[in-house]
Amino acid sequence: MTIDAGPATNGSPAGGSRPGYDAETTARLAADAAQIVARYPESRSALLPMLHLVQSEDGYVSRDGILFCAEQLGLTAAEVSAVATFYTQYKRHPNGTYTVGVCTNTLCAIMGGDAIFDELSDHLGVGHDETTEDGAITLERVECNAACDYAPVMMVNWEFFDNQTPGSATDVVDRLRAGEAVAPTRGAASVCSFKQMSRVLAGFPDGRADEGVGAGEPTLAGLRLAREQGWTAPTESAGGPDAEAGAGAPEKPVTGGEQSSAERKPTTDADVDPGGKAESPGTKPDPSKGADA
């Protein structure tokens, strides 16, 4: 059986001669791969960031990338492909310069996420996980962007665009396609490309982690209110699970206590032989079977 690792990037047809990166690219990626592998006690644990590495090279996880990862980590192409096809951040076909992900999970959907996705889909002429003809935008439905306090939320290469509307989202993608610099609502000062973002996910920082605002007012509202009210988190001494028994500590439940069946004595035939055949009235269970028969 032949395992198809996916489309090649060097022009070789799938199933044809064995593809692979040229010598210069292989050497450059191998140097990066060595840094990634050095972070882990077992080399195969480096597969996830290494898939991001080859994705930063090709713009998706290509057949060349699959084989490169397999060779570097001593795995088969099938093992690498199994991981690459499991996680949605790994693309198995060429991705756009910008991945625009619209959250359509419950809260964002209620707040307008579905309307934003539908508007962008009509405006761009693409559906979920499809790329515009100019290669600029890949549109996605996202299950959750982990920013419910700013719903509805859209992300561009995992940078936040909060409190969006169909109109504002359309404006963002038009500016991206026009080559304009676009700043997210929070985080980095600008949106990088999909390849650049993939390299960061591979573990090579771009020096922009401290740019912009991290947590905004909606995220910090609960903390501010707690400080104003003087609220603090309960401690173990306040009767937590590890608190010592003492004054004010809740009494631990006693096995066999009131309403407990843990040590209730058998009173009927069914108690002694659960699921057994019904006995005629007055018939006692066979003592030789024991209580656990």
Side-chain angles (χ1 to χ4, degrees):
M1 180 177 67
T2 300
I3 300 295
D4 183 4
T9 59
N10 64 353
S12 300
S17 60
R18 186 180 182 282
Y21 293 121
D22 58 46
E24 180 181 352
T25 303
T26 298
R28 175 166 47 79
L29 291 176
D32 289 338
Q35 294 185 51
I36 295 173
V37 172
R39 304 171 193 155
Y40 300 92
E42 297 291 338
S43 62
R44 66 184 298 148
S45 299
L47 179 56
L48 295 181
M50 197 173 293
L51 285 168
H52 285 299
L53 175 65
V54 297
Q55 188 159 257
S56 74
E57 180 68 26
D58 299 322
Y60 68 108
V61 179
S62 65
R63 186 174 187 179
D64 292 349
I66 291 284
L67 295 177
F68 174 82
C69 291
E71 291 170 353
Q72 294 292 314
L73 301 177
L75 302 173
T76 66
E79 289 174 320
V80 177
S81 294
V83 175
T85 55
F86 183 83
Y87 296 102
T88 57
Q89 278 191 326
Y90 301 127
K91 307 300 181 182
R92 295 310 316 279
H93 50 79
N95 199 76
T97 304
Y98 303 101
T99 295
V100 174
V102 181
C103 182
T104 56
N105 211 335
T106 306
L107 182 57
C108 276
I110 292 173
M111 300 295 289
D114 285 332
I116 292 173
F117 182 88
D118 292 343
E119 178 67 22
L120 289 179
S121 181
D122 291 341
H123 183 69
L124 298 172
V126 295
H128 170 68
D129 199 27
E130 294 179 352
T131 303
T132 54
E133 291 184 1
D134 59 4
I137 306 292
T138 295
L139 182 63
E140 286 186 339
R141 286 184 180 272
V142 178
E143 278 301 308
C144 184
N145 281 328
C148 301
D149 40 358
Y150 289 97
V153 176
M154 178 178 78
M155 297 192 87
V156 179
N157 290 346
W158 309 114
E159 298 289 357
F160 288 107
F161 287 78
D162 303 318
N163 300 316
Q164 293 296 293
T165 66
S168 66
T170 300
D171 178 65
V172 168
V173 299
D174 283 347
R175 292 170 58 201
L176 290 171
R177 298 180 79 181
E180 297 181 21
V182 177
T185 308
R186 293 174 286 134
S190 61
V191 175
C192 66
S193 72
F194 180 77
K195 289 184 178 182
Q196 292 169 327
M197 177 269 294
S198 294
R199 184 168 176 81
V200 172
L201 292 177
F204 297 94
D206 61 0
R208 308 195 308 151
D210 296 325
E211 288 183 0
V213 177
E217 176 58 26
T219 304
L220 299 175
L223 177 61
R224 176 178 52 78
L225 182 61
R227 287 175 174 173
E228 292 174 353
Q229 300 296 324
W231 298 336
T232 59
T235 62
E236 292 183 357
S237 61
D242 298 325
E244 295 183 1
E251 183 178 351
K252 294 183 178 180
V254 179
T255 301
E258 184 179 358
Q259 296 186 344
S260 171
S261 61
E263 294 184 1
R264 184 170 62 86
K265 294 181 179 180
T267 57
T268 67
D269 294 348
D271 290 337
V272 179
D273 187 17
K277 294 181 179 179
E279 303 288 347
S280 56
T283 303
K284 300 292 183 182
D286 185 352
S288 66
K289 294 183 178 179
D292 296 327

